[in-house]
Amino acid sequence: YLSKYINKNKQKYYENLQSVRDRNDWESLIIYMLKGIEETSINTLDVLKKIVGLIDDTKREIKKELPHIYSKELIDVLFHEFYTKIIYVEKELGISRKTASKYLIELENAGFLVSEMVGRDKIYINHNLLNLVKEADF
C-alpha cells in the first residue's frame, strides 16, 4: 500500500503539497510519489517471492511427508486464502467430505495447518502463510 510509504514519510509529503500550493511545484510531488511507488513495488515483489518460495517448500514437504494426498489442487486450496475448510477441499479436489476431513487432519498432524473452531465451523489456518504476510507489515 502506498499509504504506508506516505505515513512513513509524512513530513516530506506535506512539504511537497505545500510546495505545490506556494510555488506550483508539481515536479517535487510527482518525484516523491514515484519514489513511493518504486519502494512499495520493491517491497511487494519481495513478499511475493517469499510466498512463491513458501508454496514451493510446502509442495516439496507435502510430496515428501504425505505423498498419498499431494496434488496441485490441494496446494492451490491451501494458498488461496489464509485458511481453508473441509467444504473447500471437498469441492476443489472432487472428493468426499470424509476424505477431505482426513486430508486436513493429516496436514494438521504434519504441521502444515492449525485448526480452530470459529462458531460451528472448523477452519484450518495456513499459519506459515499468515505469519509471512504479518511479518511483511503492509
Side-chain angles (χ1 to χ4, degrees):
Y1 295 96
L2 189 55
S3 59
K4 180 181 176 186
Y5 174 82
I6 292 171
N7 287 331
K8 189 172 101 179
N9 301 285
K10 199 177 284 190
Q11 183 62 36
K12 189 69 175 165
Y13 175 71
Y14 288 123
E15 287 171 9
N16 286 324
L17 284 178
Q18 192 62 44
S19 185
V20 168
R21 286 187 206 110
D22 294 345
R23 296 182 301 282
N24 204 26
D25 180 16
W26 285 94
E27 184 177 342
S28 295
L29 180 62
I30 291 169
I31 290 171
Y32 168 86
M33 295 303 283
L34 289 173
K35 176 122 178 80
I37 292 167
E38 176 187 33
E39 187 175 303
T40 301
S41 299
I42 290 168
N43 291 338
T44 302
L45 285 173
D46 182 51
V47 171
L48 289 174
K49 287 177 187 175
K50 288 178 182 176
I51 291 171
V52 169
L54 179 59
I55 292 169
D56 290 342
D57 291 347
T58 303
K59 281 181 191 177
R60 206 171 16 264
E61 291 173 24
I62 290 176
K63 278 183 183 179
K64 180 182 172 190
E65 295 180 38
L66 303 168
H68 60 286
I69 70 169
Y70 171 80
S71 71
K72 180 192 175 310
E73 293 78 14
L74 177 63
I75 300 300
D76 290 345
V77 170
L78 298 181
F79 283 89
H80 181 74
E81 295 184 38
F82 297 113
Y83 71 94
T84 193
K85 297 180 180 181
I86 293 170
I87 190 80
Y88 299 166
V89 174
E90 182 183 357
K91 287 183 178 181
E92 187 64 33
L93 275 60
I95 57 179
S96 70
R97 181 171 180 78
K98 183 178 177 181
T99 302
S101 177
K102 179 181 165 230
Y103 283 12
L104 289 169
I105 290 168
E106 287 186 53
L107 288 163
E108 181 177 23
N109 290 339
F112 294 102
L113 302 173
V114 175
S115 67
E116 186 177 305
M117 290 301 292
V118 176
R120 294 178 5 166
D121 291 330
K122 185 182 248 186
I123 63 169
Y124 293 84
I125 302 166
N126 184 336
H127 57 91
N128 291 326
L129 177 61
L130 184 59
N131 290 339
L132 189 153
V133 173
K134 280 182 180 177
E135 289 171 11
D137 188 32
F138 286 108

